């Protein structure tokens, strides 16, 4: 039996503006991404990459069109409903890490569980899950460190651990290596590749062709439309970037 796609959009349009002045950031995007795909979304500035990521991440709603996330229609959900779906189904990895500055690594990772108000786990069980997530990204020795005590690569590993804590159906990565030196970027991409190998579905926005080689499939946007959607013949699981300093 064919599995339900993780992402399925149909003629998604997103318009901005007031009154008679309307600008289309997305203009009829129809897209399907299956389970365990690793997809890179690329395009020039203003092509609609960020708008599409916001809609796929349930941070915004389309003006028209449909969006199904793991078989659930989220197109017309209100802000509260979208927040619940985000916390339950999506893990985010941002260029700027989005970590709480005066909070330890383990407490940063715990945040999605706290927001979820999950009564099936007590505090100790939640804490142990956060420790396990940090261990899975190679940071078992940094659990009590605050962001200012971590390198850029380590901060991004904390962010990835936080993205994994709720076992999401989808990981969205927005320029995940944008603030990193090339060696640290290579290590982060190797980690994302390993997560993909373990069965995770990953959608990544990047402007860097070298980073895009880690993805199986590349979608290029232009003027709010999909201009190219193709399998990546250059796909490689690790080692696309050379040089730079150690992430530790």
């Amino acid at each position: 039996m064919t599995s339900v796609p993780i992402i399925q959009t149909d003629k998604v349009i997103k318009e901005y503006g007031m009154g008679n002045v309307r600008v289309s950031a997305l203009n009829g995007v129809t897209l399907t991404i299956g389970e365990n795909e690793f997809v890179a979304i690329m395009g020039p500035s203003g092509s609609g990459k960020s708008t599409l990521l916001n809609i796929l991440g349930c941070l915004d709603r389309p003006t028209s069109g449909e969006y199904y996330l793991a078989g659930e229609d989220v197109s017309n959900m209100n802000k509260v409903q979208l927040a619940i779906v985000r916390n339950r189904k999506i893990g985010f990895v941002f260029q700027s890490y989005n970590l709480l500055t005066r909070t330890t690594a383990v407490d940063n990772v715990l945040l999605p569980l706290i927001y979820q108000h999950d009564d099936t786990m007590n505090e100790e069980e939640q804490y142990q899950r956060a420790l396990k997530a940090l261990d899975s990204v190679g940071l078992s020795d940094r659990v009590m460190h605050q962001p200012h005590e971590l390198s850029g690569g380590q901060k991004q590993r904390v962010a990835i651990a936080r993205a994994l804590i709720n076992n999401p159906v989808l990981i969205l990565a927005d320029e995940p290596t944008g603030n990193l030196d090339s060696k640290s970027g290579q290590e982060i991409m190797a980690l994302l590749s390993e997560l993909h190998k373990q069965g995770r579905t990953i959608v990544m926005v990047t402007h860097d062709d070298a980073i895009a080689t880690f993805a199986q499939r590349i979608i290029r946007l232009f003027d709010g439309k999909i201009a190219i959607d193709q399998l990546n013949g250059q796909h490689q699981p690790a080692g696309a970037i050379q040089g730079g300093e150690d992430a530790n």
Side-chain angles (χ1 to χ4, degrees), residues 76-88:
N76 298 305
M77 287 186 175
N78 61 38
K79 291 181 178 180
V80 173
Q81 292 170 322
L82 288 175
I84 293 171
V85 169
R86 283 197 306 272
N87 189 264
R88 182 163 45 92

Side-chain angles (χ1 to χ4, degrees), residues 153-170:
Q154 289 169 342
K155 290 176 187 176
Q156 195 61 293
R157 287 175 181 271
V158 173
I160 292 172
R162 181 184 58 194
L164 296 173
I165 192 71
N166 277 340
N167 193 29
V169 299
L170 173 65

Side-chain angles (χ1 to χ4, degrees), residues 4 35 79-80 105 115 132 152 183-184 188 192 209 226 229:
V4 174
E35 187 176 5
K79 291 181 178 180
V80 173
Y115 293 148
K132 185 176 180 181
K183 180 65 185 307
S184 299
I188 291 302
L192 289 176
D209 286 321
I226 295 177
D229 183 351

Side-chain angles (χ1 to χ4, degrees), residues 2 5 24 34 45 56-57 67 76 79-80 86 99 104 112 114-115 126 151 159 171-172 198-199 209 213 239:
T2 304
S24 292
S45 178
L56 297 182
Y67 173 30
N76 298 305
K79 291 181 178 180
V80 173
R86 283 197 306 272
L99 302 178
T104 63
I114 293 172
Y115 293 148
Q126 291 179 346
S151 70
I171 295 174
L172 291 180
Q198 294 170 9
D209 286 321
T213 62

Side-chain angles (χ1 to χ4, degrees), residues 121-132:
M121 286 187 292
N122 59 39
E123 289 185 5
E124 178 60 24
E125 289 170 330
Q126 291 179 346
Y127 188 78
Q128 290 302 319
R129 179 182 281 196
L131 291 179
K132 185 176 180 181

